[in-house]
Amino acid sequence: MNRADFPWDEFAWTTRVPLPPDTWAATAGTLVPLYYAPEGREEHPPDDAEIASAAWTVDRLPALLAAARPALSAHAVHTLEPEDLATASDLIDAVRVSALHVHSVSRDGIPYVGIALSCPWDEEHGLGILMHGPRVVDAGGADTALLRRIAERDATDPRAGLDESLIGHWDSAPFDHGVMESSEVELRANGEGWSSLANLGGEYVTRLTWSCPEPGVLQLRDEDGRVTRHRYVVGPAVPPYGTEPVTSVTFEEAVQYGHQFAKSGYPTEVGSN
């Protein structure tokens, strides 16, 4: 990928990239526009570092899309009409990537990337997810992927009162052998998030806010105002039947009936393999 791949389209420096095969929200061989710095940047051509950010994004599209899927599912449950909940999985499977936005904003050397998607249940507003590496920053309408100010706010947030080791998406599935349900928790850097419980009866999602009032204690407040506290330890652990350690969090007091969760993620350094 080089400068010649990015013509100016009166909106942003733009190229078209293929979506990875065998990935949700993508049809093999489909080309979608990738916009570099769609907001808040002068019109001079992208430099080598900016081209590297775009190339980093393309190389990691499968992982970015995989990390975005749980947040989209949780967002859908809260935005679908009650009569559509029974077909939620079919509607989510019909979502497709429509554009990628690589922002000229980074934190810890990692660029912010917006993923714009079609939305079968809200064609007017669409869907947008803003990512920082494997971490979901925000999910909402299509403009969530586009707006630079959301990335800037996250990039400069001091994250007071939060344990940064907890920020991200956590899944109990690697530790759930022999049980009939699994849990997920997403703790975002803005102090918001969600938790879910999935079993034979369906999936139940709860929006929440979170903080760490003291070291090793996670405080959750759900959408009904109920507050719970959970003592925790973060560290490496080998899941049952696994061979390699993963980053895990273990709670003394269960979160959505789960005591141990694995952190979703992958190497995120720009230029890493």
Side-chain angles (χ1 to χ4, degrees):
M1 184 172 285
N2 54 52
R3 290 185 184 86
D5 296 321
F6 284 85
W8 176 256
D9 69 354
E10 299 184 0
F11 172 66
W13 295 95
T14 307
T15 189
R16 297 185 72 82
V17 299
L19 294 175
D22 302 322
T23 304
W24 80 277
T27 302
T30 300
L31 295 174
V32 299
L34 182 151
Y35 302 103
Y36 184 80
E39 281 196 330
R41 184 183 178 279
E42 296 178 357
E43 297 180 9
H44 60 81
D47 60 28
D48 289 344
E50 293 170 329
I51 295 294
S53 290
W56 180 95
T57 300
V58 174
D59 289 344
R60 288 160 178 78
L61 269 180
L64 287 170
L65 291 171
R69 174 66 184 256
L72 173 62
S73 297
H75 177 74
V77 169
H78 277 274
T79 55
L80 285 171
E81 296 296 331
E83 61 269 20
D84 293 328
L85 288 175
T87 59
S89 60
D90 292 335
L91 290 170
I92 293 168
D93 286 342
V95 168
R96 290 293 180 267
V97 177
S98 57
L100 302 168
H101 303 278
V102 182
H103 293 276
S104 54
V105 181
S106 64
R107 182 168 183 152
D108 302 325
I110 301 168
Y112 287 80
V113 177
I115 304 172
L117 306 113
S118 63
C119 182
W121 62 91
D122 190 349
E123 295 181 358
E124 179 181 357
H125 299 101
L127 288 168
I129 300 179
L130 182 66
M131 308 290 296
H132 181 244
R135 177 173 62 86
V136 173
V137 176
D138 202 359
D143 60 351
T144 303
L146 173 67
L147 295 175
R148 175 187 170 99
R149 60 178 172 80
I150 302 176
E152 288 179 325
R153 184 170 61 239
D154 185 85
T156 58
D157 190 340
R159 299 174 181 169
L162 304 178
D163 180 350
E164 292 203 34
S165 71
L166 288 177
I167 295 173
H169 182 261
W170 301 87
D171 190 347
S172 72
F175 300 98
D176 283 342
H177 294 276
V179 301
M180 300 296 292
E181 56 194 14
S182 63
S183 306
E184 295 180 66
V185 182
E186 187 163 287
L187 303 176
R188 297 179 182 165
N190 62 357
E192 298 176 355
W194 54 268
S195 64
S196 72
L197 176 68
N199 55 32
L200 294 177
E203 182 178 8
Y204 308 90
V205 178
T206 301
R207 286 181 173 172
L208 53 83
T209 59
W210 70 283
S211 62
C212 296
E214 58 185 271
V217 175
L218 171 66
Q219 179 171 290
L220 301 176
R221 181 185 297 272
D222 67 20
E223 50 204 323
D224 295 321
R226 188 173 73 98
V227 176
T228 58
R229 287 192 172 194
H230 311 264
R231 288 181 292 275
Y232 68 88
V233 175
V234 176
V238 179
Y241 310 112
T243 58
E244 299 293 331
V246 299
T247 300
S248 73
V249 59
T250 303
F251 295 105
E252 287 188 25
E253 300 82 16
V255 176
Q256 286 286 28
Y257 301 99
H259 284 274
Q260 192 166 18
F261 295 75
K263 190 171 191 177
S264 304
Y266 58 93
T268 55
E269 294 81 3
V270 174
S272 67
N273 296 323

